Amino acid sequence: MNSVKTEFAAANGKSGPPLVVHIIHRFAIGGLENGLVNLINHIPVGRYRHAVISLTDITDFRNRIQRGDIAVFSLHKRQGHDFRLYRRMHLLLRSLRPAIVHTRNLGTLEYSVSAALAGIHARVHGEHGRDMYDLAGLNFKYNLFRRAMRPFVHRYIAVSNDLADWLIETVGVRGDRVKRICNGVDIERFHPKAGPRRDIGPERFVSPTTFVVGTVGRMEAVKDTLTLVRAFLHIVGTDTTVRNRLRLVCIGDGSLREEAKRLVSAAGVDRIVWFPGERDDIAELMRGLDVFVLPSLREGISNTILEAMASGLPVIATRVGGNPELVEHGRTGTLVPADDPRAMAEAIQSYLSDPAKMAQQGRAARMRAEAKFSMESMVNGYLAVYDAVLQGPPTADRKPVTD
């Protein structure tokens, strides 16, 4: 049996719980994809079955799915407009016959129409953040398209209040069709270090006296890793005495990685900066940091911020998107303007010079992660939407889905 037949068998091999088909652009490392994997892994097996359709390709990231009954399909979309994809999607959806189709972000929204034409009567769309092509969500053409798609979507999920408000006020979605569901974090896997900080990086990269600043994420323009690199270089350039103590870790890969490495090499500080690329041991690496930094130009709800908080780290993040919903300025971390290396450098230096503040805010971050951002709360939110959408669209005499 070939791999495609195997995937169909996984999706259709048994009757029972309703099938949810999740449509995403690419199944690879990313916040949206991490949230999807968490959802699949934590929804009770007896409630819903799942299949994932990737418009482009599938990476080893799929191995993070812990259930053995999940079908994953790749449609190998070509660059630009690939019109053959509509027929392939239609045939695949007709074959799978899901109860619910769940699209995510602008790149998959049009396949809500494909789902409707395939006879799928329950359709959900999620907004997880924006990219460089439309940071503020104000592009007229894109929003005109989103408005045209509204009749084909029964429920919308936004991961932040910022995105929920935008859907209602800018895109014009009725409030009773929008639910805000924040990402959850696995507080068992991500936990504070017990005892001395874990050694990470190359040999002799850290010592008991070093101060390690780190970030995790795609090294692409919207994540703005270069601002963090420039902030770090500003610190070690203006105070050379800290070079023996300060370290920078940038975990992840992307188009800006080589440029970041060139900046570090030009400054002559290669030995105190580590670029390990993509890693599967993020929880362990988090326990090797002292402060976590997220320099993004735009965010929905950052999984890596939540993971850092659960790991007992204070967080320095840009004041964009959903970041202020996670980081309590002055209590669990520091919010700084986007694209401002000097402000980011000052925030890093404030922790470097005040270990007590760092420890206190790290403890508060862990407590906030436990109290506000549990995996159980996220899963229950999605289950409520899936259960409601199977009952039909909201009407005046039906209680709407609310937080």
Side-chain angles (χ1 to χ4, degrees):
M1 179 180 289
N2 62 34
S3 60
V4 173
K5 290 182 178 179
T6 301
E7 300 292 3
F8 273 110
N12 292 321
K14 63 178 181 179
S15 59
L19 175 65
V20 182
V21 166
H22 306 270
I23 302 177
I24 59 176
H25 178 74
R26 183 170 185 257
F27 205 4
I29 290 177
L32 182 158
E33 295 79 7
N34 188 61
L36 171 58
V37 169
N38 282 337
L39 182 67
I40 290 173
N41 286 341
H42 288 86
I43 282 184
V45 174
R47 291 294 303 276
Y48 286 95
R49 292 179 296 130
H50 305 272
V52 179
I53 299 176
S54 170
L55 300 186
T56 54
D57 57 346
I58 300 166
T59 71
D60 290 342
F61 188 77
R62 71 169 291 178
N63 295 331
R64 298 193 185 187
I65 296 176
Q66 297 168 2
R67 290 176 53 173
D69 63 338
I70 308 302
V72 181
F73 303 89
S74 173
L75 298 186
H76 304 292
K77 180 181 182 296
R78 295 179 293 202
Q79 289 288 336
H81 294 291
D82 187 355
F83 294 104
R84 64 177 187 155
L85 218 61
Y86 297 112
R87 174 171 172 78
R88 297 183 67 189
M89 180 69 75
H90 179 81
L91 293 175
L92 181 54
L93 292 176
R94 286 293 296 261
S95 298
L96 293 174
R97 300 187 301 277
I100 300 170
V101 164
H102 186 163
T103 56
R104 287 168 168 83
N105 280 354
L106 180 63
T108 66
L109 178 57
E110 62 193 288
Y111 298 101
S112 298
V113 180
S114 300
L117 293 175
I120 295 131
H121 301 295
R123 302 179 294 276
V124 176
H125 180 70
E127 288 290 344
H128 293 254
R130 307 189 190 103
D131 216 321
M132 289 298 294
Y133 56 77
D134 187 19
L135 286 175
L138 299 177
N139 183 284
F140 176 79
K141 180 179 71 173
Y142 295 146
N143 286 337
L144 186 64
F145 173 73
R146 290 182 176 105
R147 294 185 191 105
M149 292 296 102
R150 288 180 310 196
F152 299 95
V153 179
H154 299 116
R155 294 293 199 288
Y156 289 82
I157 294 172
V159 298
S160 68
N161 288 328
D162 172 67
L163 289 169
D165 292 343
W166 166 76
L167 280 171
I168 295 168
E169 297 168 6
T170 302
V171 181
V173 179
R174 284 205 332 255
D176 64 344
R177 296 171 63 197
V178 178
K179 181 175 176 67
R180 184 261 196 182
I181 304 176
C182 187
N183 294 340
V185 62
D186 187 340
I187 60 174
E188 301 300 324
R189 180 180 172 214
F190 291 90
H191 60 79
K193 58 183 177 290
R197 182 190 56 213
R198 180 176 183 264
D199 286 349
I200 61 173
E203 187 177 0
R204 299 180 186 176
F205 181 69
V206 297
S207 72
T209 61
T210 50
F211 182 92
V212 185
V213 176
T215 191
V216 179
R218 293 179 295 116
M219 297 188 73
E220 302 293 346
V222 72
K223 298 300 182 181
D224 199 20
T225 315
L226 297 182
T227 284
L228 172 57
V229 172
R230 292 186 175 106
F232 180 85
L233 296 180
H234 174 77
I235 296 171
V236 299
T238 55
D239 183 1
T240 56
T241 63
V242 303
R243 292 191 181 192
N244 291 330
R245 186 178 173 211
L246 189 60
R247 301 289 183 269
L248 175 63
V249 176
C250 296
I251 304 165
D253 203 356
S255 61
L256 296 182
R257 186 179 180 212
E258 290 306 313
E259 183 176 353
K261 294 173 74 172
R262 283 194 296 270
L263 288 173
V264 169
S265 293
V269 293
D270 302 76
R271 69 177 184 83
I272 61 173
V273 181
W274 185 38
F275 295 98
E278 294 181 353
R279 297 285 293 242
D280 292 325
D281 56 344
I282 300 301
E284 290 75 21
L285 292 175
M286 283 283 191
R287 289 189 281 275
L289 305 179
D290 292 298
V291 171
F292 181 83
V293 183
L294 191 77
S296 303
L297 298 175
R298 198 71 192 179
E299 280 292 336
I301 288 292
S302 167
N303 286 288
T304 54
I305 284 182
L306 291 174
E307 290 166 357
M309 291 170 59
S311 301
L313 299 176
V315 174
I316 299 171
T318 47
R319 195 185 293 272
V320 300
N323 290 350
E325 298 175 39
L326 304 183
V327 179
E328 291 186 297
H329 181 74
R331 184 172 180 272
T332 67
T334 303
L335 294 168
V336 299
D339 192 23
D340 191 336
R342 185 67 61 88
M344 189 165 288
E346 291 174 356
I348 293 171
Q349 288 171 307
S350 74
Y351 293 102
L352 182 62
S353 62
D354 192 347
K357 169 185 170 181
M358 181 181 70
Q360 182 181 19
Q361 291 193 3
R363 288 191 295 270
R366 170 67 185 188
M367 292 173 63
R368 181 166 169 78
E370 291 176 340
K372 299 290 186 180
F373 304 108
S374 71
M375 196 68 70
E376 180 182 11
S377 177
M378 180 193 78
V379 168
N380 287 340
Y382 278 91
L383 288 175
V385 172
Y386 291 163
D387 291 347
V389 78
L390 288 180
Q391 299 172 16
T395 62
D397 59 351
R398 180 176 290 125
K399 183 179 179 180
V401 182
T402 58
D403 285 327

